Amino acid sequence: MKDIIEILNEVNPGVDYEHEEELVTNGILTSFDIVTLISMLNMKFDIDISVTDLVPENFESAKAIKKLVDKLK
Amino acid sequence: MKKRIFNLISFCMFIIITINFLYVGGFFLAPKGTDYDNQGGSYTVNGLYNLKDNQIDVLFLGDSSMSRSVSPMRLYEDTGITSYNYSINSSRVYMAYYMLKDTLLTQKPKVVFFDTITLFYEYREREEEQRPSFDYMRWSKVKMEALNDDLFSENFFDKVSFVLPIFRYHDRWQHLGEKDIKPLFSSKNSITRGYYLSGSYKPNKRASTYMNKNDKEVHMLKETEEYLYKLVDLCKENDIDLVFLGIPDSLVWNYASSKKMEEIAEKTDTVFLDLNDSDKYEYDWNTDSENGLTHFNISGAIKTTKYVEDYILDNYEFKSHKKDPYYDNWNKDLKKYKKMETKTLKELKYNIDNNIQYEKKKSYKKK
Amino acid sequence: MSYTSLQFLIFVVVLLFVYYIVPKKYRWEILLIGNLVCYYLMSGWLLLFVVLASLFSYFGAKLIEKRKEKRKKIFIISLFSVLGFLLVLKYNNFISSLLNPILNIVNLNIPFKKFILPVGISYYTLEMISYLADVYLKKIKPENNFFKLLTFYTYFPKVLEGPISKYRDLSKEIFSEHIFNYESFRKAWVLIGVGFIKKLVIADRCGLFVSNFFLEGHTGLLTIPAIIFYTIQIYFDFSGCIDIVSGVSELFGIKLAENFRQPFFSQSIEEFWRRWHITLGLWLKEYVFFPVSLSKTNMKLNKKMRNAKYKHLSKFILVAFPLFFVWFFNGLWHGPTLKYVLYGLYYYLLMMLGILFKPVLEKIVKILRINTEVFSWKLFRIIRTTFIVCIGMLIFRSETITDAFNTLANIRVMDSVKFFELGINIKEFVPLLVMIFAMFFISLAKELKIDVREKLEEQNLVFRWIVYWVIIFSVIIFGVYGRGYDAASFIYGGF
């Protein structure tokens, strides 16, 4: 979880990723951010996040992202 | 449930009021007549509706030419016979047909004089032919019949704009002036009974030659012919004597036109009173023409009215209405008319004495 | 049959009547019949194209679901079968202009041919692609009832100019049961009325003098207001049409997706394209941007660059690569010529420059102690964005890029005409300005999150009726229609 938050801060700093639950709906993460995020997650965890995984629910919070990453590992 | 009924009622009310606004708004925005003050177009139409039922003995139908040629008030003054000069600029025979049909709903003229000038026209001015009278015609089965006639529309939207003129004239908001608003609130009475008083003059140089024998051929458009026969039949059905009146016009009429008109008159068993015949009918072409080509001024109208009057007296026995209280409004209006006529005659005399000739496109100086 | 024609209004009223008389569960079927009738009135027998393409998308989706092993192949085939119509009918000349230079070498040539397009083909093709992609990506299950799918594609309010809808969203709206609601009914008509004002009073009036300016090739300082009014014209034409169709759709209880959100309050190009033709932007984002950016190619490219220590550049390329395709297709979708592609790439170039120079610009702002939270800064950004958009519109309007340059260059040439000689006089200009300002205030209210239509609904009857009459008579009196006008057909309607 910590490493995910670290990556999130690198993509888009200055947000409380521990508690934010609506990263996509509230527009905190833009489409560019998401793409950057995914590329970093792919590299860090050696996974392959594809378009099928690109549903808002998977990226609304750090927790959700972790769930996705774990699923794909 | 109560709310539903309220909603339904308020919805219907909204629609009804809106349509009323649209209808009334159309009359604000529509052009009222021609460029003239208190004359032509809507004034002529409204003036006829303004009369009491069954007041008209004789009806004159035609276009701008007829409107300047016969003065019903002079006829009334001399004979006590009531008539109306129901002529609209640019009108054609099909308009005359519908206008007569509409008039017959409230009036019973015995004689109808129809100006033959437009019969051989081959050009169309669709809107000018129709709108000035149609817009002011009252809603009746005649108006509905006219609306269904294909002559009145090129498409569905056109027909809608005939029902609600605001859709045709909406753009005129830019051009609204006093002459668009005043008529809505002033009297609908036409003192001149549709006759247009003109005090301008210009010598007509073609008058002596336009009726010379020639080899020309004149044609009637198919639709003109169709409606001419309809007009003839309409008069027959209603026991009306139709008279073709040839009002002198050196611009569009000539020897061939008169010849053709005689043929048509014979074919339809109608009288053709050809005032173009200079042997029978005299005019002073230096002073009688309004614009040197086509229309008469007051001087020419006085003569024309006399010729028509003679014809009526020779052929009919009309009773004078001058002592009849039902025709009281005519006696009153006659007084007013005489004042207007005198003024116009003065204007004409002034113009002739000072050689101020008619100029096209310039509106008259209203004194 | 255009959306501002009397025939269309009558069609809507008649269909509404039938729709609400019929029992609720049959209403969508009435809609289907209405859609087909409307489409036929607009496009005649070209209706068969949309039916055929719908069949392809229907069977394609079902097969993708059924044949798990071959789903990718089936998806690609259905995709191209649906896209094929668009490519052949609309992009044939564009494709042949690219291929012919090569084909000519072997003495072959694809002849130039302009086909009549089935109405809305550019819009419904995107919707079909989105439907197939959603089924392929398992976002939705394929629709079992072909006629429901056909109803969606041919849905008459959106068929001419969009909004580009997603089956997964709009189907819920169309096929749910609709009860007549008088308040929504009234609100819908208000939206339609405002749309008519935007189109007939503002856009078409601008069109009177703007087209004369460009067609007659005028020069001089007037070019500037000409470009500005052209931009105003396009905005009110398109968004006015969208208002009309959204309102019409609401009459049937169906909400269409938002397509405009006060775009001229945007402070950047990115924001502008999130507020202008929103559904196109969303489509491109979901079906071009994300698939390309998350593709193996892009990811590999990114990895390679990172490993080669081009960290910042790799981050840039990560979005720049897919964005190229986004803007390329945005431009190309608008028209099958090079000019339109360049129109898209114009925004791409500016966006890329913006991203590349972002750190530099941020530093400059810091040094100059510019406060970026204040109104004046935001206003500056709004004006800057509007300027960029106006130039973009000039490109959109010009025949070629060179023409656009020439028009701009001609600003320095002597004035060849006066403003009120172009086809509009001072008297006519006044209601135009008044209406533009009225629309501006409505947009401002919406920007401040005030639901104007809802607020109007809350007012009492007399006030509401007065507002309704102001709208109705503004359209009837100031609308550009009837004799003496050539009513401008919808600018976005040739798609």
Side-chain angles (χ1 to χ4, degrees), chain B residues 3 6-7 10-11 13-14 17-18 21-22 127 154 156-158 160 166-168 170-171 173-174, chain C residues 6 10 182-183 185 205 425 427-428 431 461 465 468-469 472-473 476-479 481 483 485:
Chain B
K3 192 170 188 208
F6 177 77
N7 283 340
S10 68
F11 179 73
M13 288 247 52
F14 181 78
I17 297 178
T18 306
F21 276 157
L22 287 176
E127 283 208 304
E154 304 186 354
F156 181 69
F157 187 70
D158 259 1
V160 172
I166 193 172
F167 288 110
R168 173 63 189 89
H170 69 97
D171 241 8
W173 62 268
Q174 304 170 44
Chain C
L6 187 62
I10 295 178
Y182 188 55
E183 280 73 29
F185 191 72
R205 187 159 256 108
N425 57 52
K427 272 194 184 154
E428 282 188 285
L461 187 133
W465 280 22
Y468 299 157
W469 281 324
I472 291 174
F473 283 96
I476 291 184
I477 294 183
F478 299 115
Y481 66 90
R483 295 185 186 217
Y485 288 121

Side-chain angles (χ1 to χ4, degrees), chain C residues 35-55:
Chain C
N35 292 344
L36 295 174
V37 167
C38 184
Y39 199 92
Y40 180 74
L41 290 173
M42 287 181 178
S43 233
W45 291 113
L46 295 174
L47 168 64
L48 291 174
F49 278 110
V50 72
V51 175
L52 202 56
S54 305
L55 279 167

Side-chain angles (χ1 to χ4, degrees), chain C residues 326-337:
Chain C
V326 166
W327 286 108
F328 181 85
F329 286 121
N330 183 331
L332 192 59
W333 179 87
H334 280 93
T337 65

Side-chain angles (χ1 to χ4, degrees), chain B residues 151-267:
Chain B
L151 282 177
F152 278 93
S153 58
E154 304 186 354
N155 56 53
F156 181 69
F157 187 70
D158 259 1
K159 281 214 205 283
V160 172
S161 74
F162 274 106
V163 175
L164 288 171
I166 193 172
F167 288 110
R168 173 63 189 89
Y169 300 119
H170 69 97
D171 241 8
R172 291 193 77 245
W173 62 268
Q174 304 170 44
H175 309 301
L176 282 186
E178 201 193 313
K179 64 177 163 76
D180 292 294
I181 310 293
K182 213 171 79 168
L184 294 171
F185 301 104
S186 51
S187 158
K188 299 283 185 289
N189 190 25
S190 171
I191 293 175
T192 62
R193 299 296 187 264
Y195 163 63
Y196 177 76
L197 279 159
S198 169
S200 308
Y201 98 105
K202 188 168 177 179
N204 187 335
K205 305 259 166 63
R206 288 177 62 156
S208 49
T209 53
Y210 80 99
M211 280 302 282
N212 287 349
K213 237 183 172 150
N214 64 14
D215 290 325
K216 281 194 185 159
E217 284 218 12
V218 288
H219 299 281
M220 260 204 301
L221 291 177
K222 226 165 143 220
E223 65 182 57
T224 310
E225 203 177 333
E226 186 190 332
Y227 280 87
L228 181 61
Y229 287 124
K230 274 190 168 167
L231 183 66
V232 168
D233 288 341
L234 181 66
C235 291
K236 283 210 178 88
E237 284 162 24
N238 286 278
D239 215 13
I240 296 171
D241 286 343
L242 180 63
V243 178
F244 294 134
L245 188 62
I247 295 183
D249 186 315
S250 62
L251 184 63
V252 300
W253 200 261
N254 58 64
Y255 174 81
S257 327
S258 282
K259 269 259 152 289
K260 188 79 200 252
M261 204 59 226
E262 280 163 24
E263 269 174 50
I264 297 171
E266 218 192 290
K267 207 161 148 199

Side-chain angles (χ1 to χ4, degrees), chain C residues 205-219:
Chain C
R205 187 159 256 108
C206 287
L208 290 178
F209 56 97
V210 165
S211 28
N212 281 340
F213 183 91
F214 288 109
L215 286 174
E216 291 165 15
H218 286 295
T219 58

Side-chain angles (χ1 to χ4, degrees), chain C residues 308-325:
Chain C
K309 304 279 184 204
Y310 293 116
K311 194 164 185 221
H312 283 297
L313 197 60
S314 74
K315 198 173 171 201
F316 172 71
I317 300 282
L318 183 69
V319 289
F321 180 71
L323 273 180
F324 175 80
F325 292 96

